[in-house]
Amino acid sequence: MTRTLSRGRGGGSALLALVLALAAVLFGSAPVPAAAGGSWWEPVSRPAADSQINVTGAPFTGTDARGKVRGFVDAHNHLMSDEGFGGRLICGRTFSEAGAADALKDCPEHYPDGSGALFENITGGADGHHDPVGWPTFKDWPAHDSLTHQQNYYAWVERAWRGGQRVLVNDLVTNGLICSILPRDRGCDEMDSIRLQARRTYELQDHVDRMYGGPGKGWFRIVTDAAQARSVVEQGKLAVVLGVETSEPFGCKQILDVAQCDKADIDRGLDELYGLGVRSMFLCHKFDNALCGVRFDEGPSARRSTSASSCRPAPSGPRRSARARSTTTRSVRRRPR
């Protein structure tokens, strides 16, 4: 006997809801589809367990009456710092396909009460203890005085974009010395970390694109020249510039004032970074290298840093002031062939 199945007008929606709920139980989260007929600035789907944006209204587009683009700039950020310093200094990830519940977890050594968070406790971000639970309670982190917990989850960056941010410089950052003295789950080669962080930034762009309907449709757009940046801002999206801030670019460190790289190494390194899309670079960061010398930051933290470093000033020129070091950035340009 064959039974004819019939369903009411709402049967399809009920079935879809049941499937999504089952997927959430089995896999931890499931994409939540947006309402039909949404606007370009609203995602087609988003992980079920995720931070909410809670912003209404269309992002501004175009230019002002003088033909200038508008918006504010974050000129120095580290979206992928959780991948630097050996992978265990910054706890929590910028994004995960499974959403906030998977991305916003503390480092293993911070459990159960934060007493094992060496760098966090030394830098004054806690009184020796903190609640390691991130999502969904966020009792103790993120916090403005915590240096070891994720503060750049993609949805929080998205909220800044919706609030008017139009340019973000994502400096790929790490430090081999810090990596060597902390818990880590990978090697301390700085260039390996820079390559990984660049790849993860492109993966974040793809992640946002998938939520917004496909390649090129997301609000997070990596740009490599001023014309691209202007075009992205005119569209009302976020132009992301890749930069580098590391102590030993291209392996160019010094040992007893002897450079461990040559001109060919530097040329190859610059070409590689350019090929990755990097357009901004700090030649020095914290420690002297074969390219230039630095002056440490002022205060107690500077004395701790000085005692940790055996590097001496590069013989090629005088030390720069802390102000000059912090503001001197080289624009990475492809050399003429």
Side-chain angles (χ1 to χ4, degrees), residues 172 174-175 190 194 244-249 282-285 289:
L172 315 175
T174 191
N175 183 285
E190 294 187 7
I194 295 304
V244 165
E245 183 178 6
T246 194
S247 297
E248 298 174 1
F282 288 82
L283 294 179
C284 296
H285 182 230
N289 59 35

Side-chain angles (χ1 to χ4, degrees), residues 50-131:
D50 212 11
S51 287
Q52 300 302 303
I53 306 304
N54 296 323
V55 177
T56 59
F60 56 81
T61 60
T63 63
D64 64 15
R66 296 175 295 174
K68 295 183 177 181
V69 293
R70 301 172 295 162
F72 64 88
V73 176
D74 183 349
H76 191 145
N77 205 327
H78 302 295
L79 293 183
M80 299 300 166
S81 57
D82 59 291
E83 300 289 1
F85 309 98
R88 296 272 278 276
L89 174 62
I90 308 299
C91 308
R93 289 179 287 167
T94 308
F95 71 100
S96 168
E97 296 292 342
D102 182 58
L104 298 177
K105 298 177 180 177
D106 213 336
C107 293
E109 52 274 7
H110 289 202
Y111 289 87
D113 60 1
S115 58
L118 176 64
F119 194 83
E120 176 81 356
N121 297 330
I122 289 176
T123 56
D127 61 358
H129 297 84
H130 69 265
D131 182 356

Side-chain angles (χ1 to χ4, degrees), residues 61-323:
T61 60
T63 63
D64 64 15
R66 296 175 295 174
K68 295 183 177 181
V69 293
R70 301 172 295 162
F72 64 88
V73 176
D74 183 349
H76 191 145
N77 205 327
H78 302 295
L79 293 183
M80 299 300 166
S81 57
D82 59 291
E83 300 289 1
F85 309 98
R88 296 272 278 276
L89 174 62
I90 308 299
C91 308
R93 289 179 287 167
T94 308
F95 71 100
S96 168
E97 296 292 342
D102 182 58
L104 298 177
K105 298 177 180 177
D106 213 336
C107 293
E109 52 274 7
H110 289 202
Y111 289 87
D113 60 1
S115 58
L118 176 64
F119 194 83
E120 176 81 356
N121 297 330
I122 289 176
T123 56
D127 61 358
H129 297 84
H130 69 265
D131 182 356
V133 177
W135 172 274
T137 58
F138 297 121
K139 179 181 178 182
D140 288 334
W141 68 273
H144 75 279
D145 58 351
S146 171
L147 300 182
T148 68
H149 291 104
Q150 183 60 252
Q151 301 192 37
N152 275 311
Y153 185 60
Y154 91 91
W156 307 337
V157 179
E158 181 177 359
R159 186 181 298 125
W161 159 64
R162 291 294 300 274
Q165 183 176 338
R166 290 297 179 267
V167 177
L168 184 152
V169 179
N170 178 31
D171 286 321
L172 315 175
V173 64
T174 191
N175 183 285
L177 177 61
I178 294 176
C179 171
S180 69
I181 62 177
L182 292 175
R184 58 187 181 274
D185 56 24
R186 64 198 66 179
C188 294
D189 184 277
E190 294 187 7
M191 288 304 294
D192 284 347
S193 180
I194 295 304
R195 296 180 188 103
L196 173 60
Q197 292 178 54
R199 185 171 75 247
R200 291 287 286 163
T201 306
Y202 284 100
E203 290 172 356
L204 174 56
Q205 178 175 257
D206 293 342
H207 175 70
V208 174
D209 278 354
R210 283 191 291 273
M211 286 191 294
Y212 278 77
K217 294 187 177 182
W219 51 269
F220 186 96
R221 312 308 314 158
I222 298 170
V223 299
T224 55
D225 60 45
Q228 287 182 10
R230 180 182 176 88
S231 175
V232 166
V233 174
E234 286 184 354
Q235 295 171 49
K237 299 182 178 183
L238 180 67
V240 179
V241 180
L242 293 184
V244 165
E245 183 178 6
T246 194
S247 297
E248 298 174 1
F250 333 126
C252 284
K253 61 183 178 181
Q254 294 185 111
I255 299 178
L256 299 177
D257 287 343
V258 178
Q260 303 301 299
C261 64
D262 57 22
K263 183 177 182 297
D265 294 324
I266 296 170
D267 286 344
R268 281 193 298 270
L270 288 172
D271 285 344
E272 179 184 11
L273 291 181
Y274 193 94
L276 291 173
V278 171
R279 295 297 183 270
S280 173
M281 183 177 183
F282 288 82
L283 294 179
C284 296
H285 182 230
K286 294 300 182 187
F287 305 134
D288 297 341
N289 59 35
L291 302 173
C292 49
V294 303
R295 177 181 178 180
F296 287 108
D297 304 320
E298 297 178 357
S301 62
R303 289 190 288 274
R304 286 196 295 270
S305 296
T306 304
S307 65
S309 173
S310 61
C311 294
R312 289 182 285 176
S316 57
R319 288 174 177 259
R320 290 188 176 90
S321 69
R323 177 178 177 83

